[in-house]
Amino acid sequence: MPDHFDFLTLDFFTRASIYPGSLGTFRYRFQRTGWMNDGSIQAWVYENISFELAQDIQTQTFPWTEEGVADLKNWLTQRLEERGTEPYRIPYPPPADTGKTADQDQ
């Protein structure tokens, strides 16, 4: 399996304090606190839905160090293997049940 998380480095986490991302339907989010070599990075993985609505969430906190980032990449790779992914797509055609009754369509 290719290493989908090669882009994660110590310096990557200086770009933003919160960073959401996805690999198809595999969703993840990072939040850093503190400073490089003295702070932490919390990571979440969740189902293919917005973070605010997700219910199936796994989280782990890592030190913001070379070793911590390596552990974070390993953790993400394991979660990706467990949860799997597929290309993101919008379901089409839409589901037949729109919640309308026959009277509402007229």
Side-chain angles (χ1 to χ4, degrees), residues 19-63:
Y19 181 88
S22 65
L23 291 168
T25 57
F26 178 78
R27 300 211 179 217
Y28 54 88
R29 179 181 178 110
F30 308 121
Q31 181 171 356
R32 67 160 167 83
T33 56
W35 302 99
M36 191 182 309
N37 294 316
D38 192 34
S40 64
I41 302 164
Q42 185 168 7
W44 295 267
V45 295
Y46 52 101
E47 71 244 51
N48 189 29
I49 193 167
S50 72
F51 180 71
E52 292 76 17
L53 297 176
Q55 295 179 10
D56 183 14
I57 300 173
Q58 292 175 281
T59 186
Q60 186 78 27
T61 302
F62 302 89

Side-chain angles (χ1 to χ4, degrees), residues 73-94:
K73 290 164 63 171
N74 289 332
W75 184 80
L76 286 170
T77 300
Q78 290 172 353
R79 301 295 80 75
L80 178 59
E81 289 173 3
E82 290 170 5
R83 289 174 173 253
T85 188
E86 57 185 66
Y88 178 78
R89 66 189 183 296
I90 297 173
Y92 189 82

